[in-house]
Amino acid sequence: MRFRFCGDLDCPDWVLAEISTLAKISSVKLKLICGQVLKDLQGEGTDYEKILKLTSDAKFESGDVKATIAVLSFILSSAAKHSVDSDSLSSELQQLGLPKEHATGLCRSYEEKQSPLQDSLRARSLRLNRLDSVSWRVDHTLSSSELQQVNEPLVHLKFTVRDGDRGVTEPFAMTVSAEKFRVLLAVETVILCPAVTGELGTGCSAPC
């Protein structure tokens, strides 16, 4: 059977297996756990200790708690990704064996946060590493201890890259020969000037 919250595909076996785990928690506590999972999905973090307390009555072991968080994360994020409304999600979860009161509480939490959750998932999916800055230095080596005459320029490059997920910058350094540096410049020219590749015949707006 295919489910909308799974992208019109079969429900993964591991999700189906954990539905019975969710049913062991009271519907009220499941709704509260969903609230914590939704916070985590929106990048606000989750109170793991609170989740442990909410699952204590069910006498869950550590693995059960982690499985509960994982399956709820999948259900909520996948439903948001495929724009499934709360009524449809509730119906599909009941078809998988989740009690009606549990499905209703879960989907009520989902409905309240569906729009901001979709915005958060969309923003996270578009995060890419970004080049912040580039600097370089040219050293011209005339001789070395190994060779009497080298006369070879070396280009020292330093890149500063901003991590799209963490927002922090990291430096990367490399040293290349003059010949390899010319290759890099040639590649940059092709990227900046599509006309060079023959794909565009309108001329080049960037300096080539």
Side-chain angles (χ1 to χ4, degrees):
M1 186 179 293
R2 301 178 184 277
F3 297 88
R4 286 184 59 198
F5 84 93
C6 295
D8 288 322
L9 298 173
D10 293 336
C11 180
D13 290 339
W14 73 271
V15 173
L16 187 58
E18 296 303 334
I19 291 294
S20 60
T21 303
L22 298 182
K24 294 177 182 178
I25 310 169
S26 71
S27 58
V28 174
K29 290 184 177 180
L30 180 62
K31 186 176 185 296
L32 294 174
I33 295 172
C34 283
Q36 290 296 318
V37 173
L38 285 164
K39 283 184 177 181
D40 188 54
L41 289 173
Q42 295 177 84
E44 299 175 10
T46 184
D47 188 341
Y48 188 73
E49 292 299 322
K50 186 174 183 178
I51 294 178
L52 285 177
K53 291 179 180 179
L54 290 170
T55 56
S56 60
D57 290 346
K59 298 181 179 179
F60 278 5
E61 297 181 356
S62 176
D64 296 323
V65 176
K66 292 178 180 178
T68 297
I69 295 173
V71 72
L72 288 175
S73 295
F74 175 84
I75 291 171
L76 295 167
S77 62
S78 187
K81 176 182 177 182
H82 298 292
S83 299
V84 181
D85 61 273
S86 60
D87 290 338
S88 297
L89 179 59
S90 178
S91 175
E92 292 186 345
L93 291 176
Q94 290 178 60
Q95 291 178 51
L96 292 174
L98 190 67
K100 182 178 180 180
E101 59 271 21
H102 289 64
T104 300
L106 185 156
C107 292
R108 188 172 294 124
S109 294
Y110 167 71
E111 185 177 21
E112 293 171 356
K113 298 295 183 179
Q114 181 178 2
S115 182
L117 175 58
Q118 288 176 321
D119 292 340
S120 178
L121 293 174
R122 191 178 299 113
R124 288 167 59 185
S125 68
L126 296 176
R127 285 180 182 172
L128 299 173
N129 290 350
R130 181 169 59 86
L131 184 64
D132 258 17
S133 63
V134 180
S135 60
W136 66 88
R137 185 184 80 251
V138 178
D139 289 342
H140 200 102
T141 305
L142 298 177
S143 62
S144 70
S145 59
E146 298 180 359
L147 297 174
Q148 291 185 350
Q149 186 173 2
V150 179
N151 199 28
E152 173 69 22
L154 293 175
V155 182
H156 302 276
L157 298 168
K158 183 178 180 181
F159 305 92
T160 303
V161 178
R162 182 173 298 278
D163 188 288
D165 289 322
R166 295 178 296 159
V168 298
T169 57
E170 297 181 358
F172 295 92
M174 62 184 297
T175 300
V176 297
S177 65
E179 181 179 357
K180 289 183 179 180
F181 186 64
R182 281 193 290 270
V183 172
L184 290 174
L185 289 178
V187 171
E188 181 186 23
T189 300
V190 171
I191 293 174
L192 292 177
C193 306
V196 175
T197 66
E199 295 177 358
L200 297 176
T202 56
C204 177
S205 59
C208 300

